[in-house]
Amino acid sequence: MKAVSFILALSAILITGSACQSQQKKTQTMNTAASANPYYSRTDTEKLHVSNAEWKKVLPPELYAVAREQATERPFSGKYWDSDVKGTYYCAVCGNALFRSDAKFASSCGWPSFFEAIRPGSVIYREDNSHGMHRTEVMCGRCESHLGHIFDDGPPPTHKRFCMNSVSLDFEPEQ
């Protein structure tokens, strides 16, 4: 009986330790990428005025291509397109808070979709007539990095679909 109790206690310790290491590894990965970027802050909301030449020095190439050159990741390839974990999404370029997971919905479009931004001014909009289409581009309200596009086919209450690139987003799960 003591051996069974010991094995159960040891299993619980190993499982808890593994979960803590996994969460710690996720946080370290995010912080390592963000720490190479002196403009990244989850608390500063002051508008940034940084040249693309400077962004190119501090951002990973895939993020730079999407955020600063308006590229788009392939549908169903981003890490957040089908995630349902509770938490907050931030701009991967500057750390600005953008969306809460409770505004995320399954749109089946292949990119993470939200029906509203976290607060007024967290995102800004610009007309986009590229690729023979008329769309509205969504950009970070702090650093003006490209996040994706907004459409009028979302769920109530806003009927909006913020169709975002996963690479442009950082995520922090709720504790």
Side-chain angles (χ1 to χ4, degrees):
M1 190 67 169
K2 285 183 181 180
V4 171
S5 295
F6 174 76
I7 291 171
L8 289 174
L10 183 60
S11 295
I13 290 168
L14 291 174
I15 289 169
T16 303
S18 176
C20 288
Q21 286 176 343
S22 176
Q23 179 59 37
Q24 202 171 30
K25 190 173 183 178
K26 282 186 217 172
T27 303
Q28 286 174 344
T29 301
M30 180 193 64
N31 291 339
T32 300
S35 67
N37 178 351
Y39 307 105
Y40 192 96
S41 173
R42 295 249 175 109
T43 56
D44 188 356
T45 57
E46 191 168 322
K47 189 101 167 140
L48 290 172
H49 302 284
V50 179
S51 70
N52 278 345
E54 180 63 21
W55 283 127
K56 194 165 195 161
K57 292 177 189 175
V58 299
L59 298 178
E62 184 181 59
L63 177 56
Y64 180 83
V66 172
R68 305 310 302 177
E69 297 178 329
Q70 291 74 31
T72 300
E73 65 191 5
R74 289 186 345 257
F76 307 102
S77 68
K79 58 187 168 183
Y80 302 125
W81 80 267
D82 67 344
S83 174
D84 61 0
V85 178
K86 300 294 181 201
T88 304
Y89 291 86
Y90 297 86
C91 175
V93 173
C94 73
N96 185 37
L98 301 170
F99 303 99
R100 296 270 316 140
S101 60
D102 57 8
K104 190 172 187 289
F105 66 98
S107 69
S108 303
C109 69
W111 292 277
S113 297
F114 304 87
F115 61 80
E116 68 183 352
I118 200 165
R119 67 181 189 286
S122 63
V123 296
I124 57 175
Y125 309 94
R126 177 171 46 201
E127 188 175 325
D128 177 4
N129 293 310
S130 63
H131 307 290
M133 296 180 272
H134 178 71
R135 302 177 290 176
T136 301
E137 178 184 10
V138 178
M139 300 176 301
C140 173
R142 181 168 182 245
C143 69
E144 295 188 5
S145 287
H146 174 76
L147 302 170
H149 293 89
I150 187 170
F151 303 95
D152 292 325
D153 60 358
T158 64
H159 302 283
K160 300 294 182 189
R161 176 172 51 100
F162 288 82
C163 186
M164 305 291 96
N165 290 285
S166 288
V167 71
S168 294
L169 303 173
D170 274 342
F171 180 75
E172 184 175 313
E174 286 180 0
Q175 297 296 325

